[in-house]
Amino acid sequence: MQQVLQGLPRGAFQNAVDKYRGDRHSKGFSCWSHLVAMVYAQLSGVGSLRELEAGFNQHRSQHYHLNTRAVHRTTLADANGKRNPQIFAETLRALIQVARPSLKREGEELLLLLDSTTIALRGRGSQWTHASATRTPGLKLHLLFSSNQQLPVQQTITAANVNDVEEGRKLQPVAGASYVFDKGYCDYSWWNRLDAGGARFVTRLKRNAAVTQVCARAIAEADASQILNDAVVRFTHRSNRGGHCNAYAGLLRRIEVARAGEDSLVLVTNDLEAPAAEIAQLYRQRWEIELFFKWIKQHLRLRRFLGQNENAIRIQILTALIAYVLVAILNAKARHPSLWAALAELRTGLFHRPQQDESWWRRRRQQQEIQTALQPGLFG
């Protein structure tokens, strides 16, 4: 557990605590103890506050090394319900900045995937979600995900009825990066901002989008079975029916991709040079963010919650992302076969102290060597 927490930027964490006065009226349960307890809950897979209390307090002798103390479920419940989630949000942001250079691969183009997922909340205590509920009541996690590093880059948590594109518009484009997203982020003015910022984007074109073909592009013979059409287009109208001006006046690529047993996929991008097969492959990689959402929901605590109000739910979502990044940092050093293998090993030995065991075995070997050396003299 101590090795896991070494990845946290303690200075940035303390700055966030001071900024939001997180330890004010803490009654001895500091923000650090709160974070340690919630990360333990995510990594150990506990399902309730009572289970967390029993499991964490079973290792009281280890609390000193973690700079924490025993956890009481009522105190933790109060902290989850009242402590400012921005402390954990800023800690996550600083942790990602620390993790990204260590997980970066040389020479790779930055590929950023954008999507959202709904964190479902049902049953007793979730009545506060009804006012903003869509098909699934709960909160929505909006995420920008780095495909190169398999790491979340930026996140926001909103009500379930907030449109994806509203959060997408808040992103500042990174020059030279490629953004991949689905039809939920259809906003031509925002596309124009990405293009003006020197970023490439790949997305799907809506069926009713009015475009005019400027010229057709030749399709490579090797890609003919995959690419049905490749053309340079521009938007036909400068404004929509509502009178809103379309800020995107440049050219686009419209690429039609074949899918086995399904209708063809119509993609659009501002990259006028790359091969059509490369653009299609970029959009296929968007599935990685869906796999990420599935992974954290299956292996971290995002289905059963340790609190019922919105504040507690937000803190648990943020600590799930913090736990994911910490495991990713540890896995980059240990080189496990997969992230799940790293998490499984952690769960079986969160309070295991490998240094202590290694020291014990070293002393044991030394004693055996001394005994072996003395045996000829004793029996000679």
Side-chain angles (χ1 to χ4, degrees), residues 308-328:
Q308 296 179 339
N309 69 352
E310 182 176 355
N311 201 79
I313 303 299
R314 286 176 177 268
I315 287 176
Q316 190 160 334
I317 295 172
L318 291 168
T319 52
L321 295 175
I322 289 173
Y324 174 89
V325 178
L326 289 174
V327 173

Side-chain angles (χ1 to χ4, degrees), residues 117-122 129-130 132-140 158-161 297:
T117 186
T118 300
I119 308 297
L121 301 170
R122 295 185 176 89
T129 65
H130 294 171
S132 59
T134 53
R135 289 181 299 177
T136 305
L139 293 176
K140 185 180 282 190
T158 67
N161 60 355
K297 288 180 179 180

Side-chain angles (χ1 to χ4, degrees), residues 236-257:
T236 304
H237 307 297
R238 297 296 300 146
S239 62
N240 59 17
R241 294 178 181 178
H244 300 288
C245 180
N246 178 6
Y248 201 104
L251 299 176
L252 292 167
R253 288 265 299 285
R254 181 188 182 277
I255 301 171
E256 191 172 354
V257 182

Side-chain angles (χ1 to χ4, degrees), residues 291-350:
L291 295 177
F292 170 77
F293 288 142
K294 182 179 180 180
W295 196 96
I296 61 173
K297 288 180 179 180
Q298 284 186 342
H299 303 309
L300 298 176
R301 307 312 298 169
L302 285 179
R303 294 185 185 275
R304 297 180 63 181
F305 292 90
L306 306 180
Q308 296 179 339
N309 69 352
E310 182 176 355
N311 201 79
I313 303 299
R314 286 176 177 268
I315 287 176
Q316 190 160 334
I317 295 172
L318 291 168
T319 52
L321 295 175
I322 289 173
Y324 174 89
V325 178
L326 289 174
V327 173
I329 293 173
L330 199 65
N331 185 52
K333 299 175 183 177
R335 299 296 181 184
H336 290 86
S338 66
L339 203 61
W340 163 239
L343 180 59
E345 181 176 319
L346 280 173
R347 281 186 174 166
T348 58
L350 275 175

